[in-house]
Amino acid sequence: MTSDHGKKGGIEFSHRSVLLDSAVDYLVNDPAGQYVDCTFGRGGHSRLVLDRLGDQGHLLGIDKDPEAIAVAEELAVEDTRFSWFHGSFAELGLALDRREWGEVNGVLMDLGVSSPQLDDPARGFSFMRDGPLDMRMNPQQSPSAAEWLADADEKEIADVIWRYGEERFSRRIARLIVERRQEEAIETTRQLAGLISEAVPKKEKHKHPATRAFQAIRIFINRELEDLELGLQAAADRLKPGGRLVVISFHSLEDRLVKRFMRDLARGPKLPRGIPVTADQETSAFRLVGKAAKANAEEIGDNVRARSAVMRVLERTGTNNSTQGSA
């Protein structure tokens, strides 16, 4: 288990990459290959991938977060086998085209918000520390969570909290947000967390009442599920035969999407009944590798956030025809 470290304003943030060794074990099958770390973060997975690559191998790191890209720039200076792209993994195709890469040997996605983002109050992701209500993985994009909550109508807020947080009191929360914002702007994580606690009549044991709503707003603000759908498709389209897509998810919405995408590709195209089927059409160009994997007790002990992690692996087995529309 390795640690990633970031520093901002004199404060050091530490992050342990989840399922580090097993993810890289599944990913790297050719030391001379080309690989993509779609969620560079602070480089934990990337550094281990580079350790496994030979002189001819290359790794591309992608991240939305400018702070992550600053770390990636330093790594690119240290190791010429590494390059970076500032953007979403939904733009994976563009990132590969810019480097004149066609197919790649492997793609890794470590989804969700990173520990340095959660632990920095200035980013506004967590209700555990007071800070500006931002929640943007890329602060250069708009709107922030505070800006959206200031303008969105009650129905939209309720729909977002229900859809992305599965929060059964979403309507009560949305109603109170709209009422209170008329009195004062909701601009800090402490304000929003307190408001949600007030709106939720029944508290879950061992879970802060703001957990689901904060997750929902973050996912919505950063278009996480929409980007994930696009990124999964782009990754599958650009894998070489034998190449693997390794995805680590941290909540059920992500994992259900990943599971369904990989399952459908492994099953192959759905053809209408009554149409003659050739042997090629019966065989999928993909297969699932192993079962869904979770962190072991030791890793969870080192990093409590690992307890919800689920890793799934998909391998391209056949020719690299586009998978568009098959999932």
Side-chain angles (χ1 to χ4, degrees):
M1 198 67 163
T2 63
S3 295
D4 297 346
H5 296 278
K7 198 165 185 181
K8 179 181 178 183
I11 304 174
E12 185 167 310
F13 305 102
S14 179
H15 169 57
R16 293 182 179 275
S17 297
V18 174
L19 293 164
L20 176 66
D21 291 293
S22 54
V24 176
D25 286 344
Y26 276 114
L27 182 74
V28 179
N29 56 19
D30 180 0
Q34 294 174 317
Y35 297 88
V36 184
D37 182 352
C38 283
T39 43
F40 176 79
R42 296 302 182 268
H45 286 109
S46 284
R47 287 183 173 87
L48 186 56
V49 171
L50 289 168
D51 285 345
R52 304 282 181 88
L53 296 183
D55 292 340
Q56 301 305 312
H58 199 93
L59 174 66
L60 169 65
I62 298 176
D63 210 291
K64 293 179 178 180
D65 191 338
E67 293 180 14
I69 291 301
V71 178
E73 289 176 327
E74 294 177 0
L75 182 57
V77 172
E78 297 170 10
D79 195 324
T80 57
R81 299 171 302 163
F82 177 79
S83 57
W84 55 268
F85 175 84
H86 184 198
S88 167
F89 52 61
E91 304 171 285
L92 175 60
L94 172 63
L96 296 179
D97 289 343
R98 285 187 176 178
R99 280 150 188 79
E100 298 183 348
W101 289 12
E103 304 165 354
V104 296
N105 297 81
V107 177
L108 172 66
M109 296 180 177
D110 183 7
L111 304 176
V113 63
S114 70
S115 292
Q117 290 170 331
L118 279 172
D119 294 339
D120 183 355
R123 302 301 299 271
F125 285 104
S126 174
F127 48 77
M128 301 302 292
R129 302 178 185 178
D130 194 27
L133 189 58
D134 194 312
M135 295 194 189
R136 291 172 293 180
M137 292 181 180
N138 183 356
Q140 298 168 0
Q141 297 178 338
S142 291
S144 68
E147 291 167 340
W148 176 68
L149 287 174
D151 294 330
D153 62 37
E154 183 178 323
K155 183 180 184 303
E156 182 183 6
I157 295 171
D159 288 348
V160 165
I161 294 174
W162 168 250
R163 179 181 179 189
Y164 298 119
E166 299 177 314
E167 170 57 70
R168 59 179 174 147
F169 298 112
S170 60
R171 292 181 181 179
R172 294 175 65 105
I173 294 170
R175 187 179 309 121
L176 191 56
I177 287 173
V178 171
E179 289 176 3
R180 292 293 172 81
R181 76 185 184 189
Q182 296 174 3
E183 302 170 6
E184 64 173 340
I186 303 169
E187 297 180 334
T188 71
T189 55
R190 181 172 294 168
Q191 279 180 288
L192 181 59
L195 187 156
I196 294 169
S197 295
E198 185 179 341
V200 174
K202 296 181 181 180
K203 309 298 191 285
E204 294 181 63
K205 193 174 182 180
H206 306 307
K207 178 175 282 189
H208 192 288
T211 300
R212 297 180 187 276
F214 264 67
Q215 170 191 292
I217 294 169
R218 187 206 82 216
I219 290 172
F220 172 76
I221 290 294
N222 293 288
R223 292 179 48 85
E224 291 180 40
L225 296 187
E226 293 88 346
D227 280 9
L228 178 55
E229 290 190 38
L230 293 171
L232 289 171
Q233 187 65 63
D237 284 344
R238 302 296 283 264
L239 282 179
K240 289 182 177 180
R244 288 177 172 177
L245 168 61
V246 180
V247 184
I248 303 171
S249 307
F250 287 86
H251 61 72
S252 58
L253 291 176
E254 292 173 339
D255 186 52
R256 285 201 296 266
L257 196 159
V258 173
K259 179 181 179 180
R260 184 177 67 248
F261 178 85
M262 291 186 173
R263 178 201 64 201
D264 289 351
L265 280 187
R267 285 179 178 174
K270 295 180 181 179
L271 301 175
R273 291 183 179 180
I275 293 181
V277 179
T278 67
D280 288 342
Q281 290 172 318
E282 288 180 334
T283 304
S284 170
F286 294 88
R287 73 178 184 97
L288 300 176
V289 179
K291 297 181 179 180
K294 296 187 177 182
N296 58 34
E298 181 181 356
E299 185 168 9
I300 294 172
D302 290 339
N303 179 7
V304 68
R305 289 169 183 157
R307 68 184 183 275
S308 59
V310 179
M311 181 175 68
R312 298 183 186 274
V313 183
L314 180 75
E315 179 180 288
R316 177 179 282 279
T317 59
T319 57
N320 197 8
N321 298 319
S322 174
T323 63
Q324 188 68 41
S326 61

